[in-house]
Amino acid sequence: MYVGTSGYSYEDWKGPFYHEKTDRSNMLEFYSREFNFTEINSTYYKMPNIFMFFNLSKKTPDNFRFSVKLHDSMTHEKTASKDDYMKFNEALKPITDNGKLGCVVAQFPYSFHYTPENIHYISKIKENILDIPLCIEFRNQEWNNADIYKKLSQEQIGYVCVDEPDIKGLVKPISVVTSNIGYVRFHGRNCEKWYNHKEAYERYDYLYGEDTLKDWVSRINFINDNTDFTFIAFNNHFKAQAAVNARMLQRLLDSLI
């Protein structure tokens, strides 16, 4: 089981998590002393290159794992070419070759509806990333149904379980396993700012309480018992609240071993 945060190089983590004078180039080394996993989200905004992942790998111990977000052109714009996928796959080689890549994550927007065309599109992504493990995060509740679980299982595509605001239409917190990889993402429950915000970080301004995370422990153990690997990522990153909650969850999980 791997517990960590969605991203690690945030300026507003200086003080709450990093020392005030920590340089961005040293953040991952510091982070990896405490956590054994992180999501790389920058690849959603900018296509990565092989040097980026060579450097990330060099800064982390052998037991460290990464998950990597697919680029916007692959999940939101849906304009990526085969050449784009080939370049993306090639960029990951430093961490695929040394076993540090856990999976890639395709996070689809709320506007990605449950349709035959979109089901086919998911299959095309799986084809284009070749033998790299794939996990899918849906934002639209339409995708929570037995047929899609069966489809994902047949193609060995992981289902990303989420904890997010209880807003009509968003995916509810469930425990589903559709491949040998389990995945849970905690986005926080800031209902007020999920849609009504000026800055993107505002929607992730949320700190989970211990009782709330306790409710997830049995679900996470179920997922972990039915997979080879389980990745748990906290995306409530504002002011390092993700790191606080990752520590809290790890402590809760350790106390039950």
Side-chain angles (χ1 to χ4, degrees):
M1 191 183 299
Y2 295 85
V3 179
T5 63
S6 301
Y8 60 88
S9 59
Y10 301 103
E11 283 295 316
D12 64 357
W13 284 28
K14 291 182 179 180
F17 184 72
Y18 298 115
H19 299 300
E20 292 284 358
K21 295 183 179 180
T22 303
D23 189 86
R24 274 184 180 268
S25 62
N26 297 324
M27 285 181 174
L28 182 56
E29 291 178 79
F30 184 93
Y31 174 94
S32 65
R33 294 173 196 165
E34 179 165 357
F35 299 111
N36 60 2
F37 157 69
T38 192
E39 286 181 346
I40 302 299
N41 291 317
S42 61
T43 50
Y44 169 80
Y45 302 99
K46 182 180 180 181
M47 288 287 282
N49 60 60
I50 198 167
F51 304 106
M52 168 187 169
F53 283 104
F54 175 78
N55 287 324
L56 292 180
S57 180
K58 193 167 63 171
K59 293 178 179 180
T60 52
D62 291 343
N63 67 338
F64 196 87
R65 296 293 179 269
F66 296 94
S67 66
V68 180
K69 188 84 67 67
L70 288 182
H71 188 255
D72 167 65
S73 64
M74 301 167 180
T75 56
H76 287 57
E77 299 300 325
K78 295 190 285 185
T79 56
S81 65
K82 281 192 173 291
D83 188 53
D84 290 328
Y85 279 102
M86 187 169 66
K87 290 177 180 177
F88 194 95
N89 296 347
E90 184 67 20
L92 298 178
K93 280 189 69 65
I95 58 172
T96 54
D97 289 350
N98 65 12
K100 289 187 178 182
L101 177 64
C103 63
V104 295
V105 176
Q107 179 192 302
F108 288 105
Y110 182 79
S111 58
F112 188 75
H113 293 283
Y114 179 59
T115 65
E117 294 78 15
N118 284 339
I119 293 171
H120 178 68
Y121 186 78
I122 291 171
S123 297
K124 294 301 291 183
I125 288 182
K126 177 66 174 174
E127 289 177 19
N128 283 319
I129 62 167
L130 305 176
D131 58 349
I132 296 172
L134 172 66
C135 291
I136 302 283
E137 178 181 351
F138 301 109
R139 286 288 168 89
N140 196 308
Q141 178 67 14
E142 296 170 3
W143 291 92
N144 272 0
N145 66 74
D147 288 339
I148 195 61
Y149 304 153
K150 181 179 179 180
K151 173 70 172 175
L152 296 178
S153 295
Q154 289 171 343
E155 299 195 24
Q156 276 297 288
I157 298 172
Y159 179 93
V160 178
C161 304
V162 296
D163 188 288
E164 58 193 14
D166 185 13
I167 297 174
K168 184 178 180 180
L170 290 184
V171 174
K172 306 306 179 189
I174 58 174
S175 305
V176 175
V177 172
T178 57
S179 79
N180 69 324
I181 294 177
Y183 212 113
V184 184
R185 299 188 82 217
F186 287 88
H187 296 294
R189 298 181 180 183
N190 194 336
C191 295
E192 181 183 352
K193 293 292 185 180
W194 191 257
Y195 292 122
N196 183 26
H197 57 262
K198 293 181 180 179
E199 302 291 341
Y201 71 80
E202 293 180 62
R203 80 166 23 175
Y204 304 112
D205 182 6
Y206 186 87
L207 182 68
Y208 287 94
E210 189 168 295
D211 288 343
T212 303
L213 293 184
K214 279 181 181 177
D215 291 340
W216 267 98
V217 168
S218 60
R219 299 178 189 178
I220 290 170
N221 284 331
F222 165 80
I223 293 168
N224 195 51
D225 288 344
N226 288 280
T227 54
D228 295 331
F229 307 97
T230 300
F231 299 102
I232 303 161
F234 283 87
N235 192 31
N236 53 328
H237 54 76
F238 184 66
K239 296 288 186 181
Q241 293 171 114
V244 172
N245 282 147
R247 287 169 174 161
M248 187 182 293
L249 180 64
Q250 187 64 68
R251 187 175 69 250
L252 290 170
L253 292 167
D254 290 344
S255 70
L256 296 175
I257 293 177

